[in-house]
Amino acid sequence: MSLVEPAQAQPAARGRRATRVQSTGPKWQDATPSTRQVLFWQVGLLFGLLALWELAVSLGWIEVYIYGRPSGIFAKAVDLIGSGALLRDSALTAFEAVSGFIIGTVSGSVLGLALWLTPMGAAVMKPYMIALNGLPKIALAPLVIIWFGIGLGSKIALATLITFIVAMIAAQQGTREVDQDLVKLMRSLGASRFKTWRTVIVPGSLPWIVSAFRLNVGFALIGAVVGEYIASNSGLGYMISYAGTLYDLNAVWLGIAALMVVALLMYAAIDWCENRLIKR
């Protein structure tokens, strides 16, 4: 008995010492970086990559006619901004993407939410939603060009088609993820199906809808740019396609950078809407 007690006491003593060391050690804190720090490192990373790129071209590590160079992109930007071509093409593509985004995302979200009101309709629409979601939307581009012509309407229509199905599926999935206990509570209180939909289903589905908004930023730009690839003489898609045929890599990179700026602005608008709708 006396031999066992010391053996049992030793781990206990070690545990107390470990506890004492842990309690007296430095406390770990979740330090959130400030906005200024994040911005500093973001800008530093961008300029670091551009400097490395420029250095690689200057030292002959990569070929300028294949990869372009930052100084050439900057010179091209100054030229196209001065002539107004870059701002004109950016504004046109942004208008096409934003218009298609609003029409497709809003209508798709409304339909996806409305399907909760009609279980039969949701069951009927299910295979069509799966088929449309799996269909490469770019395959629809020739039909859209034929139906809507080569003007502005075809680009908006293509962006609308691409974003519509994503928004509809996300909204319907959001209605399924709403807490069913709340739905049962509303039913037990005698609320109608429409009132339950308006007060519980729609607010509970907003996070899913906002997530679809973010996904559709890229899809809307894809629709606009693909439409400009196929049939257009203006816009960032046309600018990138035409510059690529001439091996003007600096203009290609400039068009890509302009698309990134448009995407960032659209994301910022979505964040603003999210703060107004969900986090208020």
Side-chain angles (χ1 to χ4, degrees):
M1 186 69 179
S2 61
L3 294 176
V4 176
E5 290 178 351
Q8 294 175 343
Q10 289 177 1
R14 286 197 296 268
R16 287 195 297 270
R17 286 196 297 270
T19 303
R20 191 179 302 113
V21 171
Q22 291 177 358
S23 62
T24 58
K27 293 183 178 180
W28 180 78
Q29 295 180 351
D30 185 11
T32 302
S34 64
T35 303
R36 182 178 298 179
Q37 290 175 327
V38 172
L39 181 61
F40 172 79
W41 284 106
Q42 288 174 340
V43 174
L45 177 62
L46 175 62
F47 278 95
L49 292 175
L50 292 177
L52 181 61
W53 183 1
E54 185 73 25
L55 180 63
V57 172
S58 300
L59 297 179
W61 296 345
I62 57 177
E63 299 294 338
V64 66
Y65 68 90
I66 296 178
Y67 296 97
R69 64 189 307 166
S71 59
I73 298 172
F74 179 76
K76 179 67 68 173
V78 172
D79 181 36
L80 293 182
I81 290 175
S83 65
L86 181 61
L87 297 178
R88 182 175 61 251
D89 289 340
S90 299
L92 178 61
T93 301
F95 178 78
E96 295 165 352
V98 171
S99 299
F101 172 86
I102 293 174
I103 297 172
T105 302
V106 172
S107 59
S109 299
V110 170
L111 181 57
L113 290 172
L115 288 176
W116 184 87
L117 294 170
T118 57
M120 177 60 72
V124 171
M125 289 293 296
K126 182 177 180 180
Y128 296 100
M129 293 168 60
I130 295 174
L132 288 174
N133 187 48
L135 175 70
K137 311 305 183 296
I138 297 177
L140 300 173
L143 292 175
V144 173
I145 297 298
I146 293 173
W147 293 340
F148 295 92
I150 62 174
L152 191 67
S154 60
K155 286 72 176 177
I156 296 176
L158 189 56
T160 299
L161 287 173
I162 294 177
T163 56
F164 173 82
I165 186 64
V166 176
M168 182 172 64
I169 291 177
Q172 189 193 29
Q173 184 63 32
T175 62
R176 296 176 179 175
E177 297 298 328
V178 174
D179 190 355
Q180 293 302 308
D181 291 336
L182 294 176
V183 177
K184 294 177 181 178
L185 176 62
M186 294 293 291
R187 184 184 302 172
S188 65
L189 293 175
S192 64
R193 190 174 185 85
F194 179 78
K195 186 173 183 180
T196 302
W197 176 81
R198 181 173 56 86
T199 59
V200 175
I201 300 299
V202 173
S205 303
L206 283 179
W208 289 80
I209 295 174
V210 173
S211 297
F213 281 13
R214 290 195 173 90
L215 288 175
N216 276 340
V217 167
F219 288 133
L221 286 171
I222 288 174
V225 170
V226 168
E228 292 171 352
Y229 276 176
I230 296 176
S232 182
N233 58 1
S234 57
L236 292 176
Y238 170 78
M239 170 185 166
I240 294 172
S241 177
Y242 182 72
T245 61
L246 300 178
Y247 274 79
D248 187 357
L249 275 298
N250 293 325
V252 171
W253 281 114
L254 180 60
I256 293 173
L259 285 174
M260 291 181 178
V261 172
V262 173
L264 288 173
L265 292 175
M266 292 178 69
Y267 270 105
I270 291 173
D271 288 338
W272 182 84
C273 292
E274 181 181 11
N275 291 330
R276 299 275 294 183
L277 293 175
I278 298 178
K279 298 180 179 179
R280 60 182 180 179

